Amino acid sequence: MIAPPRLAVRWLEHRLHPDERADILGDLIEQFHRRAAGNPRAARRWFWRQTLALVWGFAIRRRDVVSTTHERTRGIWLLRNAGSDWRYALRSLVAGRGATVAAFLVLALGLGLSTTVFSVINSLLLRPLDFANADRLVRLAEARPPRGPASGAPVLNPSGGEMSDVAIGQFIQTARQLDAVSPYGTTGRNVTTAAGTEQRSIAEVGTRFFDLTGITPLEGRLFQDADGRRDAPEVVAIGERFWRDELGGRRDAIGQTLTIDQKPYAIVGVVPAGFRFPEPGIEIWIAGRWTWPQPGVRRSFMMWTETFARLAPDATTESAAAEARTIAGRMAAADPAFLDGIDVPVPIFRVRRLQDDLVAPVKPALVALGAGMALVLLAAAANLLNLLLARSTARHREMAVRLTLGAGRWRVVRPLLFEQMLLAGSGAIAGGLLAWWLLRSLPAFAPAALSRLADVRLDGASLAFASMVALALALIVGLLPALQLPRANLRTLSAGGAIGRSGMPAGSFRRVLVAAQVALAVTLLVGAALLGRTLWSLSRVHPGYRGGGALTFQIGVPDGLFREPARQSAFFDDLLARLTAHPGVVAAGAASTLPLNNVGLSGSFAIEGRPKPTTPEEWPRADKIGITPGYLDALGTRLLRGRGLSLADSAAAEPVVLINEAVARQYFPGEEPLGQRIDFLRKLFRIVGVVEGIRQKSVTTPANAALYFAAAQVPPVLAFNRLTGGVALRCEHDPNDLVPFIRSTMKAIDPDWPIHNVMRLDDRLDTTFAGPRFYSIALGLFAALALATAVFGVYGVLSYTVERRQAEFGVRRALGGGEAHIIGLVVRQAAGLVVAGLIIGLGLAAAGAEVLRSLLFGVEPIDAATFITAAVFVAAIGCAAAIVPAWRALRVDPVRALRAE
Amino acid sequence: MPHTGRGDIEHFVLVALLRLGGESYGVPILEEISARTGREVSRAAVYIALRRLESKGLVASRMGEASAERGGRAKRYFRLTRTGAAQLEETRRAFERMWADVEHLAKKAAR
């Protein structure tokens, strides 16, 4: 007998409703056979024509059909009868309450945290500058390594990203590959308005600065080249907020003068509030009027400034870097190699894309957080999958029945998928809300490097991310069980209640999932623990000063005032005398550099009686800090040997100096430094004391060699620096109580000199901890979440096996198996899962810990103790999760279990 | 080929069932209609009409035997119900009343 075209038959089988499939197809095949007896080929053609006509006819006419039970199934075939499936999904979610809530919580937390991290990464890492041509901007930086054989890594200038005034001048005048070369320096300065004098954030910028971003002013104009000339009137642009708050937002503010440090500046324009390049918070921009020194001219000090530029239309960072090398060569040729015993290093320039530069400091942290986010999402997905597999296993019988009765695979799987979509959807909404809340409250805890966190908003991209991830999770997790549907429907059915007895594939897959969850939890926990160790190590560092009860503040002294030594010392004598007169003050002193500020002055010195070194590298080097007698007492820095400074060390007395441990160790090994003299600034300073090292730059950087001079015995520029220096106080009680007293004292001396950065030393120190604390809390949260999913996982799998092995446990109990024996059986299974997870997790952690290296302090990325502790902790928790199922296994009643069999 | 409306097909199906002795399955019904009307009717239309008639209670169906000739698929037998037969008779009478004395006019108009 000739068979009808198979493809056509299959097609019809697929298209026709199961109820009518048999008779319609049967009729068609019957007629086909009659025709095929005459002309088989014509019959086949006829069959195809009829098939097409049927499919077409049903497709267009079905619409006219009055609904019958099966004909109500209209709409897109994928979603036929969707309503009932949604209800079904909802019902089964409600039925499995505990598991549903657990899955929802994990999902909401996972999506919330990862959406937060995504928002942060997206705005800080992927697009840190959001204006046109932002990728053409570069930062110029200059390094000045010593000439001759390098002694260690090339040392950049004071803060690592700045240019010397000589170099800036060369670039502005000769660089062809760069446009709008703009120095940029920020300071706090005293601005006098109708409301009084206040310290304001001010940027002094090159006249082409605003060209970098191409913004237009809200009112008036921005800077022109003419504004930078020495003979031009000094002009400023003011920020929109300052304009509205302080000048009432009046248009006639343009052209008015503003008094900054008691000098008049003409206001030429208003900068819109959205302008936050390269940092937010600047209130006033001064058009800098610099004269750039030429190379080869001897000067006592160099000015260092951040410098930005834009690549010229045809230039690349490479061509700009090549040009910078040419400029460096020219400068080196003009400079003498060695001047007065102080080397003049050859400059090296770095041209770096500004976007990369802004991202660099936060990149390791964000990469670590991003990796943590990915791991948590994986754990959440595994958790969902686990829940679903547990449920679909329980439903295998029902599914088998439906499949056998002719339901399509899609129809059987769809309720499961809908269930996942409901879960993922509600999880995404809750996660979105969580992310929104986190982004609002995070900036308060964020470390300084992440200060731009305040700018991060939950935007369209973040929401799109959350919904995409949720949808992907739902699809993957919902469709996976389709692969696990029983194939041999009838056999499964006839096996009756004993489905799964022989160990369903779902069971082993779930075990793999749980091991993966354990692995993720260990990985994250190791990361969090490493950061926690960092925090602990930091808290144990002795920075060389004692925080409790100490307070520091800076003084907004106008430029140029302290050029007169007499006036400067008179001012500090007066101020410190008034402060120490307060009964609550134990000690007070001023210094040219406060702890955790950049060091103002650093360089070489000579030791009396030793031959002058012939190469620059051999010269002793140290930070040089001018202090008043009470300063070290106020900080709580200990005097190790000799004596401290006193008021007797006046300008007229013998010049003296204190050295720190580092100087004693490096330059006086095995010698008595006390009594020796240091040759500096053509004077000889006698060493009278050795003090402990102060970690000046940061808590994590060991103390540099440092010399402490008596302020009264050195030039004013060394005795005090208004940018880095300030006053330290030590009090008997909470130093914050003294702030009003300090303010009134300052006002009594001069109402136009405001104080700023008033901070307890403890709070200053705390900024160091903010970073590690933030990262360890973030990773800790991730780890906790992953651990929770692992616990759910272990618990779920064991409960399931205990249920399946009830009969076995019953028999074992009946045959006299002891409690320990039964518990051992269950816990051993848990241990297997956990150990497998631990091995993978520790491997993952070892591979990933390197990412954290730059965030760690006092602990190596591969730290055995941390790894072992995390592993033991996870193992304990994993086995604890086995207790409830084990207890249940004990309670199995042998008689009932056997009867059920 | 003139368009055969929904009502016409249902009418054809009912009459075909009547001619086939009150009970039959798809193939004879299709063939009866084609033979009598002299044209190929849409297969889908006939099946849909059968379902509609069934839902209106004018036709009842039962599954029959399967055969090798049908690729192992069962027949569905449709039977004219008492309501069906009654309505068919009512429709026939209505048509007759409507047609009384005007047959020659229809032929003339068609010419």
Side-chain angles (χ1 to χ4, degrees):
Chain A
M1 202 188 286
I2 296 165
R6 265 187 44 199
L7 199 59
V9 172
R10 291 288 297 275
W11 191 23
L12 280 173
E13 274 177 338
H14 174 70
R15 293 299 316 222
L16 293 175
H17 194 275
D19 285 358
E20 55 195 13
R21 200 179 284 154
D23 56 316
I24 293 178
L25 206 51
D27 289 350
L28 193 57
I29 293 171
E30 184 182 326
Q31 283 176 300
F32 166 80
H33 282 139
R34 268 187 249 155
R35 283 164 184 268
N39 181 348
R41 291 188 62 182
R44 288 177 72 84
R45 276 202 301 276
W46 175 87
F47 195 96
W48 268 112
R49 269 204 312 279
Q50 293 297 318
T51 302
L52 283 171
L54 261 179
V55 170
W56 175 245
F58 273 112
I60 61 164
R61 290 188 208 209
R62 191 63 95 181
R63 240 168 294 142
D64 307 336
V65 175
V66 168
S67 315
T68 63
T69 352
H70 64 266
E71 279 159 356
R72 214 179 285 125
T73 62
R74 277 185 282 137
I76 307 163
W77 67 274
L78 274 174
L79 291 176
R80 272 180 213 147
N81 275 356
S84 65
D85 279 358
W86 284 115
R87 283 192 296 277
Y88 184 80
L90 198 60
R91 266 204 308 275
S92 65
L93 280 178
V94 172
R97 224 166 287 125
T100 305
V101 169
F104 169 78
L105 283 180
V106 168
L107 203 57
L109 284 172
L111 281 174
L113 289 179
S114 51
T115 306
T116 309
V117 171
F118 173 82
S119 306
V120 173
I121 290 181
N122 185 38
S123 52
L124 298 193
L125 204 58
L126 305 184
R127 42 179 188 84
L129 299 170
D130 49 357
F131 48 83
N133 292 328
D135 57 337
R136 310 266 315 151
L137 299 191
V138 294
R139 181 201 286 274
L140 302 175
E142 178 181 354
R144 294 244 172 173
R147 280 184 203 248
S151 55
V155 184
L156 278 173
N157 55 67
S159 74
E162 302 182 333
M163 294 276 280
S164 68
D165 45 10
V166 189
I168 296 172
Q170 289 300 301
F171 273 84
I172 289 181
Q173 287 154 18
T174 64
R176 295 284 160 268
Q177 301 291 315
L178 296 169
D179 282 341
V181 175
S182 310
Y184 174 89
T186 52
T187 50
R189 290 216 210 167
N190 306 338
V191 177
T192 310
T193 59
T197 300
E198 248 188 283
Q199 179 96 16
R200 299 278 179 177
S201 293
I202 291 184
E204 191 170 6
V205 302
T207 51
R208 306 284 307 277
F209 172 72
F210 290 106
D211 296 353
L212 292 171
T213 56
I215 61 151
T216 48
L218 202 65
E219 293 287 341
R221 64 169 179 89
L222 297 174
F223 301 148
Q224 305 160 345
D225 283 344
D227 294 331
R229 284 211 305 269
R230 266 288 175 199
D231 53 351
E234 298 218 68
V235 298
V236 294
I238 55 176
E240 185 182 344
R241 179 167 298 167
F242 182 84
W243 179 54
R244 292 197 191 286
D245 294 352
E246 306 298 332
L247 304 173
R250 286 194 317 274
R251 293 214 159 173
D252 61 9
I254 308 297
Q256 284 186 0
T257 50
L258 198 62
T259 307
I260 302 174
D261 281 352
Q262 294 163 332
K263 262 166 61 184
Y265 290 80
I267 299 174
V268 295
V270 177
V271 176
F275 184 77
R276 46 212 321 153
F277 174 83
E279 58 192 336
I282 300 298
E283 296 169 290
I284 295 166
W285 290 263
I286 296 179
R289 301 190 315 173
W290 291 289
T291 38
W292 305 113
Q294 289 301 308
V297 178
R298 196 185 147 197
R299 292 167 309 127
S300 41
F301 295 106
M302 272 187 177
M303 185 188 82
W304 293 86
T305 318
E306 283 188 273
T307 306
F308 305 112
R310 195 181 54 222
L311 292 171
D314 296 326
T316 62
T317 41
E318 290 73 30
S319 71
E323 189 181 50
R325 280 191 291 277
T326 317
I327 293 175
R330 217 164 43 224
M331 287 173 64
D335 274 334
F338 205 59
L339 247 166
D340 268 2
I342 296 177
D343 53 310
V344 181
V346 181
I348 295 175
F349 297 109
R350 190 183 63 190
V351 181
R352 196 174 184 192
R353 256 168 39 104
L354 188 56
Q355 278 180 335
D356 300 340
D357 193 76
L358 289 177
V359 158
V362 289
K363 202 168 185 174
L366 291 185
V367 166
L369 288 181
M373 161 186 103
L375 294 182
V376 160
L377 276 180
L378 281 177
N383 185 58
L384 268 188
L385 203 52
N386 217 331
L387 167 76
L388 191 81
L389 284 177
R391 208 162 289 162
S392 71
T393 309
R395 277 195 211 142
H396 264 192
R397 189 179 157 76
E398 171 201 332
M399 288 187 182
V401 171
R402 295 184 66 189
L403 281 175
T404 317
L405 291 181
R409 293 176 89 75
W410 167 241
R411 282 299 309 274
V412 174
V413 174
R414 198 170 60 182
L416 296 177
L417 185 62
F418 282 8
E419 214 176 297
Q420 294 313 302
M421 285 170 111
L422 278 177
L423 253 182
S426 50
I429 291 169
L433 287 173
L434 177 67
W436 175 78
W437 179 79
L438 278 175
L439 284 176
R440 270 176 37 127
S441 40
L442 271 188
F445 306 101
L450 278 178
S451 62
R452 291 173 68 235
L453 208 57
D455 294 349
V456 178
R457 291 280 171 275
L458 197 63
D459 55 4
S462 316
L463 292 178
F465 169 82
S467 14
M468 288 305 291
V469 169
L471 188 68
L473 279 182
L475 281 179
I476 295 167
V477 169
L479 288 178
L480 237 149
L483 305 175
Q484 296 235 337
L485 276 187
R487 289 213 161 256
N489 308 331
L490 286 171
R491 212 186 50 202
T492 325
L493 248 188
S494 62
I499 290 175
R501 165 70 48 94
S502 54
M504 300 283 297
S508 54
F509 188 53
R510 285 185 70 190
R511 284 196 287 280
V512 171
L513 274 183
V514 171
Q517 286 175 326
V518 172
L520 295 175
V522 179
T523 310
L524 284 167
L525 197 64
V526 166
L530 285 173
L531 289 167
R533 282 281 301 268
T534 296
L535 202 55
W536 187 73
S537 311
L538 279 177
S539 70
R540 291 180 49 96
V541 168
H542 175 53
Y545 46 89
R546 281 156 195 83
L551 174 138
T552 58
F553 64 91
Q554 295 189 265
I555 307 167
V557 186
D559 250 349
L561 198 78
F562 281 175
R563 304 266 152 84
E564 301 163 53
R567 202 167 161 200
Q568 171 168 324
S569 53
F571 166 74
F572 278 112
D573 288 349
D574 186 13
L575 172 65
L576 296 172
R578 284 174 194 241
L579 289 177
T580 29
H582 190 281
V585 175
V586 177
S592 62
T593 300
L594 288 177
L596 305 180
N597 275 356
N598 276 325
V599 173
L601 214 70
S602 168
S604 50
F605 63 94
I607 297 163
E608 188 194 21
R610 295 194 190 174
K612 292 244 157 121
T614 46
T615 66
E617 295 83 56
E618 291 167 21
W619 283 80
R621 287 174 173 272
D623 295 344
K624 289 153 189 162
I625 298 170
I627 59 173
T628 66
Y631 176 72
L632 292 177
D633 291 338
L635 285 189
T637 303
R638 274 188 317 225
L639 180 70
L640 301 175
R641 306 168 57 203
R643 67 166 177 97
L645 299 181
S646 75
L647 285 174
D649 298 311
S650 65
E654 186 199 16
V656 293
V657 65
L658 303 179
I659 62 174
N660 72 357
E661 292 166 284
V663 175
R665 206 170 41 243
Q666 282 173 37
Y667 302 119
F668 301 95
E671 266 182 79
E672 175 57 80
L674 293 184
Q676 300 213 40
R677 291 198 295 182
I678 277 172
D679 187 350
F680 176 60
L681 294 171
R682 302 190 178 88
K683 278 209 267 187
L684 289 170
F685 294 83
R686 187 173 300 281
I687 298 171
V688 293
V690 180
V691 297
E692 63 182 329
I694 293 179
R695 296 198 170 209
Q696 190 68 43
K697 224 171 125 191
S698 77
V699 178
T700 53
T701 320
N704 270 350
L707 303 175
Y708 296 94
F709 296 95
Q713 298 178 333
V714 286
V717 69
L718 178 56
F720 190 76
N721 179 326
R722 72 185 196 110
L723 295 182
T724 59
V727 174
L729 279 180
R730 178 160 293 272
C731 319
E732 281 176 345
H733 308 291
D734 184 355
N736 275 346
D737 298 344
L738 280 181
V739 173
F741 162 71
I742 297 168
R743 285 194 189 279
S744 64
T745 307
M746 275 305 296
K747 212 158 236 160
I749 296 175
D750 192 322
D752 280 340
W753 296 355
I755 64 172
H756 60 105
N757 279 347
V758 187
M759 254 177 146
R760 293 191 312 180
L761 212 43
D762 276 336
D763 297 336
R764 237 169 213 283
L765 260 179
D766 204 53
T767 54
T768 310
F769 297 116
R773 187 186 301 138
F774 183 77
Y775 303 133
S776 62
I777 288 176
L779 273 192
L781 270 178
F782 286 167
L785 204 56
L787 203 56
T789 71
V791 168
F792 290 141
V794 170
Y795 170 79
V797 162
L798 290 185
S799 306
Y800 172 69
T801 38
V802 164
E803 197 136 311
R804 256 181 43 204
R805 292 169 69 184
Q806 260 195 10
E808 177 198 334
F809 290 140
V811 173
R812 284 179 189 272
R813 290 287 278 164
L815 294 179
E819 297 190 351
H821 173 67
I822 303 284
I823 291 183
L825 280 178
V826 177
V827 171
R828 205 172 304 143
Q829 196 183 357
L833 292 177
V834 170
V835 166
L838 284 182
I839 292 171
I840 302 167
L842 290 176
L844 263 178
E850 204 54 38
V851 175
L852 292 177
R853 183 181 282 279
S854 66
L855 300 177
L856 299 181
F857 174 75
V859 58
E860 281 298 302
I862 309 287
D863 180 66
T866 307
F867 274 59
I868 292 171
T869 313
V872 168
F873 184 68
V874 171
I877 289 209
C879 289
I883 286 177
V884 175
W887 180 73
R888 226 178 264 155
L890 272 187
R891 309 253 308 176
V892 170
D893 177 0
V895 180
R896 267 185 52 199
L898 288 174
R899 198 169 287 153
E901 185 78 347
Chain B
M1 187 161 102
H3 176 72
T4 315
R6 197 166 83 192
D8 295 341
I9 295 276
E10 288 182 17
H11 195 74
F12 290 165
V13 167
L14 286 176
V15 181
L17 267 178
L18 195 66
R19 301 185 77 91
L20 292 166
E23 185 172 66
S24 189
Y25 68 100
V27 175
I29 297 173
L30 282 164
E31 283 173 353
E32 184 69 22
I33 296 174
S34 303
R36 291 286 153 187
T37 59
R39 58 183 200 239
E40 190 93 355
V41 289
S42 157
R43 186 175 287 268
V46 170
Y47 287 115
I48 290 170
L50 280 165
R51 299 287 191 270
R52 281 178 57 85
L53 291 168
E54 190 175 6
S55 73
K56 288 196 234 169
L58 305 181
V59 156
S61 76
R62 64 177 173 87
M63 292 310 285
E65 73 284 4
S67 67
E69 191 195 27
R70 293 175 57 83
R73 286 171 172 84
K75 291 172 183 168
R76 185 188 290 273
Y77 282 101
F78 294 93
R79 177 176 56 82
L80 203 55
T81 62
R82 195 180 296 236
T83 336
Q87 184 159 334
L88 192 54
E89 176 59 15
E90 171 60 30
T91 311
R92 190 189 62 79
R93 275 202 231 117
F95 267 106
E96 273 176 6
R97 282 196 294 277
M98 289 298 289
W99 279 112
D101 312 325
V102 292
E103 271 171 86
H104 62 287
L105 293 176
K107 278 175 191 148
K108 204 187 283 174
R111 205 176 292 139

